Amino acid sequence: MGADKKGEQMEIVTVPSYEDMSLRAAEVVCEAMRQNPDLVLILPTGATPVGMYRELVAAHERGQADFSRVRTFNLDEYRGLAPDHPASYAAYMREHLFAKVNLAGQNTHIPHGVGPDPEVECRRYEAAIVEAGHGDLAILGIGQNGHVGFNEPSYSLRSTVHVARLRDETRQVAFDIWSESGDNPFPALADFPNHALTMGMGTILKAERILLLASGASKARALRLAVTGALTPQLPASFLQLHRDVTLLVDSEAARFL
Ligand code: GLP
């Protein structure tokens, strides 16, 4: 994917369904690990990549995915949630990937959501990514409002790892997903975190390759603006237009306006 379009424009791969998107995404990751066993992966959370993680676990069980030397850096974590909180991204990653493949514990990285000084943690996390040589492959999702990681629509963007204030619509979407699960650990929306530690757009754009996943009609508008709209901090995903090797892997519902 992407080889013939490098440096031109985003490559768009449209597949019929969420399952196809998940399978193709896992194939991209497996192939990248075969080419480079020391791969540095930047990883997303949310509903979208759950299927990709499931396929990666299945590939690992078939002996087709070796994570033993791979290093991972997650995009973000909620401020105030400890790794054992069920809504933390640390818990998400353990559930969907880390506990199920042969990733070494010291090779997985997620910003610490709790701690006395989040600014110190941001600098530590940015330095760790720089030390790893930046990501070889960044897998991204996209928020309905065009956010990437937790780089929310704003009047300006931050380049490096930082503490971000979450937009109300982003908190509401995540809160609703927890409510629908029937197991919402937050009594009310007011209890949902309102800040997160996130890679900046600069951190993300330094990855060698980017694969953005999107599924469902709720992402169609943001995707169209990201691909064809003006570069604007009001739609952080639009800055992916600056990268020379971006592939959008989307299902047909998400691609309806492309
Ligand atoms: C969260 C994450 C993003 C993710 C987005 C979309 O805000 N911080 O990294 O891309 O949600 O999530 P979903 O895949 O559930 O739509």
Side-chain angles (χ1 to χ4, degrees):
M1 269 190 223
D4 55 339
K5 289 254 185 118
K6 254 185 202 171
E8 289 177 28
Q9 60 191 54
M10 295 188 198
E11 182 184 15
I12 300 169
V13 177
T14 305
V15 291
S17 70
Y18 176 79
E19 286 68 32
D20 296 311
M21 181 202 76
S22 302
L23 200 55
R24 287 286 286 270
E27 282 168 4
V28 171
V29 175
C30 288
E31 181 56 28
M33 292 195 298
R34 275 193 287 274
Q35 304 254 328
N36 176 10
D38 297 302
L39 195 73
V40 177
L41 273 173
I42 291 177
L43 295 178
T45 48
T48 309
V50 167
M52 174 190 74
Y53 291 134
R54 194 178 51 233
E55 296 298 340
L56 283 173
V57 171
H60 175 69
E61 286 167 355
R62 291 193 303 267
Q64 292 167 349
D66 177 16
F67 292 82
S68 58
R69 286 157 55 186
V70 169
R71 282 171 291 171
T72 67
F73 287 85
N74 268 77
L75 285 164
D76 46 18
E77 177 62 283
Y78 290 111
R79 170 77 183 144
L81 299 192
D84 59 355
H85 191 286
S88 71
Y89 286 160
Y92 172 105
M93 291 307 298
R94 278 196 306 278
E95 179 189 344
H96 293 292
L97 187 69
F98 294 168
K100 295 178 174 167
V101 298
N102 63 334
L103 267 164
Q106 74 271 17
N107 286 346
T108 65
H109 304 84
I110 302 183
H112 299 150
V114 289
D117 191 339
E119 298 300 335
V120 170
E121 172 59 7
C122 289
R123 288 197 291 277
R124 183 198 69 80
Y125 199 63
E126 179 76 24
I129 299 160
V130 172
E131 168 77 25
H134 301 289
D136 295 307
L137 174 60
I139 314 291
L140 307 177
I142 183 169
Q144 293 178 26
N145 63 7
H147 75 238
V148 175
F150 272 127
N151 293 274
E152 292 273 40
S154 180
Y155 292 105
S156 63
L157 286 177
R158 300 274 298 277
S159 176
T160 58
V161 178
H162 61 281
V163 178
R165 186 173 177 79
L166 306 185
R167 305 260 304 203
D168 286 345
E169 68 263 21
T170 299
R171 297 173 64 244
Q172 184 76 59
V173 168
F175 182 80
D176 289 348
I177 290 172
W178 275 107
S179 295
E180 282 156 25
S181 78
D183 208 9
N184 195 339
F186 306 103
L189 181 60
D191 303 303
F192 194 88
N194 43 34
H195 289 86
L197 283 71
T198 181
M199 288 188 187
M201 285 310 292
T203 327
I204 294 165
L205 288 168
K206 282 189 185 121
E208 191 66 25
R209 266 173 89 192
I210 292 176
L211 179 67
L212 185 143
L213 310 179
S215 167
S218 68
K219 303 296 174 70
R221 178 185 159 277
L223 272 182
R224 178 178 168 80
L225 291 172
V227 174
T228 61
L231 289 196
T232 169
Q234 294 293 337
L235 197 105
S238 64
F239 280 81
L240 297 174
Q241 294 174 28
L242 297 175
H243 196 280
R244 61 192 288 276
D245 192 355
V246 180
T247 300
L248 306 188
L249 176 54
V250 298
D251 69 11
S252 46
E253 287 272 288
R256 64 202 284 185
F257 301 146
L258 292 177

